[in-house]
Each structure stands twice: as C-alpha cells, then as structure tokens.
Amino acid sequence: MKHLKQAFALAALTMAMNASAQTELTVYTAVEAEDLKTYAKRFNEEHPDIRINWVRDSTGVITARLLAEKENPQADVVWGLAGTSLLLLKNEGMLQPYAPEGLDKLSPKFRDRDETPSWVGMDAWMAALCVNTIEAEKNNLPMPKSWQDLTKPVYQGHVVMPNPNSSGTGFLDVSAWLQLMGEDEGWTFMDGLHQNISRYTHSGSKPCKMAASGEAAIGVSFAFRGARLKEKGAPLELVFPEEGLGWEVEATAIVNGTDKLAAAQTLVDWSISRKAMEMYNEGYAIVGMPGVAQPVAHFPENAEALIIENDFSWAASNREAILTEWASRYDGKSEAK
C-alpha cells in the first residue's frame, strides 16, 4: 500500500510539473466556436507544451477589443481574424512582424505584402445566400440568382443579413458590393436591399441559421455555415450570386508586446503548415497553401473562380468611413445587442 501511495504521489507530481511547464497563450479568434476544440487538439498533438486559452467573439467585437487594448495588450496571438482587421491593427503598430516557417509555400493572396509579414492567411470564407426551400415555396419566392434580385419587391421582409459593424461577413459583403458596383451604385443597391431586410444580425452565421430553421426565407451569410447546415439535413439551397462573391482571408498574427514570443511563433508556424491547411479544408474550400484543397460538400467546385478581386488595403483604409455611413443609413433595423 505504501508503494502504491508513493506511485500515486509521483504521478501527481509529474502531472503538476508537466502542467506548470506548459506555456499558456491567450489567443483571440473569430473562428466558429464549434471548431476551436479541434484547432487546439490538432495543434497540441505536436506541441503539448503550449496551452491555448481562447477568447472568441465575432470579427467586429474582437477587432474593437484589440484596438481598445492597444496600450495594454491582453492577447498573445490572433488566430483566425479577417485580414482587413489585421491590416488595421498593423497600421496601428499592434502586430509583431514574423516570417513563419513555410511562408514560401503560401499563395501571395494569403500574406501581408511586407518582406517580413505582419500576418499570414489560413483560409478564405466566401459569401453565399442560404435559401430555405420550404419557406420560399410557401411564400412564392423565386430562387434568387444575383445580388440585384434581392432588391425585388417580392422579397420584402424575407431577407436577413449581418450588420457589418459587428460581423466580418457583413463587412465583406458591403465592401464587395462597393468594389463590384462602384461606390454610388453600391450604396444605391444597399438602399434597395434595405427595403427587403427584416433585420440585421450581429453574427455572420446567424442569417443562415435562421434560414435553416425557417425563421427567415433568405439569409445573406457565408458558404461554410450553409454547407454545414445543409449536410445536417436543413432544407437549404446555397446560392452563389452571379455578379461575384465577397470573401475574406482568415488570418493569424502575433500581438506586439507579447512576453511569450517563442511560443507565439511556434503557433504561427503551425498555423500555416500543411497539416493545418488540411484541417481548414475540412470546412473551407479555399485555403492558403496551393494544391492542398480538396472539394468540400455543397461548395461549388470552382469556388476560387467565383470570388472577386478583393482590394484588402482599400477595404481596411476605408473601413471606418464605410461602417459609419452604413450605420447612418440602415442601423434602425439592427437587432438588439
């Protein structure tokens, strides 16, 4: 019995020592909540000495939080935030430039343009319409084919979309429309769309979830969420508007001032590894490393051909002005926070 107690004590001591030897990283993210355990688990399979403490919220909220903490950063790493948000943080001097292992294998679209980048891309999420086929039939709604279709009177009160001030998906939509149509025509389009909106949500995935449950007929959302819900049996048709699709790089960066730089660099190295890219491809059709992506159920096979030429620098530089203008025109239909 004495030996057994000693063995238990030794095991407990070993576990305590291992736990204390772990470096803990505070990681801010806008990655879908259901995927965070998978991300940490896969990373820890190779790096059990680093523990991730997640802080997760929507893109707009995480971006605002990081900016508010500029003088006293609380995060070590950002793993999974819109590239336009990271460009904004870079311009504020909040990111630590770092050239991770494997940088040369990334597509040029998936990295900061500086020789030593301040952020690197993981995958891309793209716009899509989630249409509930049962609700569409019940309300005699034709299947939309384009963004402009959504301004037709037949859809009045049947469309839900994200608020771009709180949702990265909402911002990528608004930014894409302004780039595709030109600023004057883009705002005119959004004026027409606004007439048919029943509400603006504070989550990019919520409009698709509402469509899946029948709470709305049409959700302006993103393909990842629609594909997952359809795979689970939701009565959804995913529509990819013919004018072209807004998209965003989901990216990773080190927060300037972290006192855990070595561990942060290890995480960023892994975030663009082939294993990580294969993990992202389980949900996203477009990933940062060419030649890795395999077809994803319910995504179009030519996903990359459907996305627009997105000027991320323009979007980041004009972000505040765009969001202010949008709020002054349309915020009256936003749901309560």
Side-chain angles (χ1 to χ4, degrees), residues 166-237:
S166 47
S167 162
T169 303
F171 183 71
L172 76 82
D173 285 322
V174 172
S175 171
W177 295 331
L178 294 173
Q179 291 183 62
L180 273 170
M181 304 174 192
E183 293 193 45
D184 290 342
E185 288 189 23
W187 288 113
T188 298
F189 161 75
M190 283 183 269
D191 287 343
L193 174 64
H194 181 67
Q195 302 307 310
N196 292 341
I197 294 287
S198 65
R199 78 172 89 160
Y200 297 103
T201 69
H202 295 295
S203 158
S205 58
K206 187 173 180 179
C208 198
K209 292 176 181 177
M210 291 174 67
S213 67
E215 192 175 350
I218 301 172
V220 179
S221 189
F222 59 106
F224 169 87
R225 177 52 55 206
R228 286 223 171 158
L229 290 168
K230 186 169 182 175
E231 187 69 16
K232 292 179 180 178
L236 292 178
E237 183 72 29

